[in-house]
Amino acid sequence: PTRRSSDLRRAPFFIGGSGALPARRTVEFGAGWIPMVGTLQERGQGFADIKAAAARAGRDPESLWLVGWVDMSIDPARQQVSRHVAAENWVQRVAAPSNEQVVQAVLEERRMGAGLINLGFAWDSQDDLIRRLEEFATDVVPQIRRAEASEVH
């Protein structure tokens, strides 16, 4: 079937950026917000600010998806992006984080309010990416689920 223009009203737009304008756009018509700030605390404050703005505008704050970020790579290009975004808070990695560090980073993002987590993988080929995703699903996701379950109880 062909797409009708009316279908676009239901498209889930995620707004990226930082500051007043992306916040306003997120509240007005976004399905969620992808912050472009460098620290966990800044993202957490941004999540709180977006939710408060949504409530003031009469929108259910829980209807918004808030996106956290966990970088698991040591790829120089990704590190440069991290450096740009994090500015003075940036720390160069010389080794990929351990599974335990990734679990903790995901849990911290979730505690700050992230409902979705953007994971940054380094990969050299499609097969390498698939292998890393499978390893993540097998080795890390069960640890995250166990940790989340133990925090709830």
Side-chain angles (χ1 to χ4, degrees):
T2 59
R3 275 190 96 109
R4 297 185 315 265
S5 61
S6 62
D7 292 339
L8 295 177
R9 288 192 297 262
R10 292 184 291 242
F13 290 100
F14 282 73
I15 310 301
S18 299
L21 188 56
R24 190 186 87 219
R25 288 178 178 154
T26 300
V27 170
E28 287 179 9
F29 60 84
W33 179 54
I34 304 171
M36 298 298 291
V37 292
T39 68
L40 178 66
Q41 290 72 29
E42 289 169 324
R43 285 190 297 280
Q45 185 60 56
F47 293 156
D49 293 347
I50 292 277
K51 285 184 168 190
R56 284 192 305 275
R59 182 167 179 188
D60 177 8
E62 299 306 315
S63 71
L64 293 171
W65 287 95
L66 303 173
V67 182
W69 182 55
V70 175
D71 186 6
M72 302 181 344
S73 77
I74 56 171
D75 176 67
R78 284 196 71 86
Q79 291 255 337
Q80 182 61 30
V81 170
S82 297
R83 182 177 184 181
H84 171 73
V85 171
E88 71 276 358
N89 301 309
W90 178 74
V91 176
Q92 183 174 10
R93 260 199 216 115
V94 293
S98 68
N99 288 351
E100 292 76 23
Q101 289 170 315
V102 171
V103 169
Q104 288 309 308
V106 168
L107 293 175
E108 289 172 359
E109 292 285 342
R110 300 276 292 152
R111 285 183 203 116
M112 286 291 169
L116 295 173
I117 307 293
N118 181 3
L119 301 171
F121 289 93
W123 48 279
D124 297 317
S125 66
Q126 182 177 356
D127 289 339
D128 185 38
L129 176 60
I130 290 169
R131 180 184 59 78
R132 289 175 190 272
L133 289 168
E134 288 172 344
E135 286 174 359
F136 183 82
T138 302
D139 301 338
V140 179
V141 170
Q143 291 179 48
I144 293 169
R145 297 292 178 242
R146 283 191 299 274
E148 288 179 326
S150 69
E151 285 187 356
V152 171
H153 300 298

